[in-house]
Amino acid sequence: MNEYLVLVVEDDIPIRNLITTTLKMNDYRYITASKGNEAIMLSASHKPDIIILDLGLPDIDGEEVIEHIRTWSEVPIIIVSARSEDQEKISALDKGADDYLTKPFSVDELLARLRVIQRRLIKAGNTSVTEFVNERLKIDYVSGCVYLDENELHLTPIEYKLICLLAKNVGKVLTHKYIIQNVWGSSADNNEASLRVFMATLRKKLNDSQQSLIQTHIGIGYRMMKL
Ligand code: CA
């Protein structure tokens, strides 16, 4: 049996069945809710390891559920949204959701998202605070040096802040707004164009033209993959 307990919050019965069948076949434990308030109660009483959350719920919307849960828990939340809900999806990520699935999604996509989250949970259980290692990349937080295959990279202060933010949130999709606020400060203009430029130079230095380390989520933001 899988050690992870997943809370599935979805009012659409066929989609909920698809998700729970997938979980069952892959040995996840799960509980379900079809309303937002029920989801909040179950997350408090059952302390799930992962939450899969539909944004369009019959009582309160998914964003409100996230805000509520985030007041006491950092449990990973994967949101499920319709294509027409792109704006809601971005603001749910801003409010602290970790990842997203757009309907219709495949079973494979769902399982891939769960694996990303599980790798993060495993990593969170054995964190070393002084350095971050992700395959060929190493960040030494004490000296402020970044290495690729043992070769030191020469990063600007902004690039260093960017890579540390991505590393700290490895596996999680970060929105443009979140990155800009954390790297340049909340007073900064919402300048996605300059973020793109910084990201391009950073990728070049990381030799990541294939985006295997840092993924672009068009119109949303970026994510560092756990390799
Ligand atoms: Ca719904």
Side-chain angles (χ1 to χ4, degrees):
M1 205 65 182
N2 196 305
E3 59 183 304
Y4 295 105
L5 177 65
V6 183
L7 167 60
V8 181
V9 190
E10 173 63 83
D11 60 316
D12 185 318
I13 294 167
I15 296 181
R16 191 170 67 214
N17 288 345
L18 168 77
I19 297 173
T20 54
T21 307
T22 306
L23 293 175
K24 191 187 275 176
M25 286 177 60
N26 289 276
D27 290 332
Y28 287 91
R29 296 181 296 131
Y30 64 85
I31 45 177
T32 63
S34 54
K35 289 186 177 161
N37 283 318
E38 196 187 351
I40 292 168
M41 277 177 358
L42 286 177
S43 356
S45 60
H46 287 68
K47 304 204 169 27
D49 300 293
I50 301 170
I51 298 177
I52 299 175
L53 174 69
D54 177 33
L55 285 184
L57 295 168
D59 52 349
I60 55 173
D61 65 37
E63 279 176 50
E64 228 175 296
V65 175
I66 297 169
E67 262 180 317
H68 212 103
I69 292 175
R70 280 289 175 260
T71 59
W72 81 83
S73 168
E74 286 301 315
V75 56
I77 300 175
I78 303 174
I79 50 175
V80 176
S81 70
R83 234 167 249 295
S84 57
E85 295 171 324
D86 264 0
Q87 208 44 55
E88 287 86 343
K89 174 167 80 188
I90 293 171
S91 83
L93 290 163
D94 276 333
K95 291 205 161 71
D98 294 73
D99 203 347
Y100 61 90
L101 283 163
T102 306
K103 293 177 195 175
F105 54 85
S106 69
V107 163
D108 287 342
E109 276 180 280
L110 170 61
L111 291 171
R113 296 304 196 284
L114 287 168
R115 281 194 299 271
V116 169
I117 298 276
Q118 281 172 257
R119 282 197 290 268
R120 273 191 62 208
L121 290 172
I122 292 165
K123 182 197 152 266
N126 52 27
T127 42
S128 139
V129 288
T130 59
E131 67 171 36
F132 169 84
V133 178
N134 191 2
E135 207 186 38
R136 300 165 56 205
L137 172 72
K138 184 172 116 182
I139 304 174
D140 181 337
Y141 294 120
V142 180
S143 64
C145 296
V146 179
Y147 303 87
L148 188 69
D149 294 330
E150 307 293 317
N151 300 313
E152 189 183 345
L153 300 180
H154 298 283
L155 302 185
T156 65
I158 293 282
E159 289 164 354
Y160 181 71
K161 271 182 146 179
L162 260 178
I163 198 159
C164 288
L165 184 69
L166 290 162
K168 190 178 143 211
N169 294 283
V170 67
K172 180 168 171 170
V173 178
L174 303 179
T175 62
H176 295 129
K177 186 174 154 195
Y178 183 88
I179 297 173
I180 290 165
Q181 281 180 349
N182 278 276
V183 173
W184 284 276
S186 52
S187 61
D189 291 337
N190 200 345
N191 196 341
E192 289 183 30
S194 68
L195 173 58
R196 260 198 301 279
V197 173
F198 276 102
M199 207 54 96
T201 17
L202 181 60
R203 273 206 181 108
K204 206 173 230 168
K205 293 181 181 180
L206 291 168
N207 224 334
D208 189 40
S209 55
Q210 302 299 314
Q211 301 194 6
S212 53
L213 180 64
I214 303 173
Q215 284 184 339
T216 298
H217 290 250
I218 295 166
I220 298 170
Y222 300 92
R223 152 162 61 195
M224 182 186 285
M225 297 303 288
K226 178 82 190 95
L227 300 177

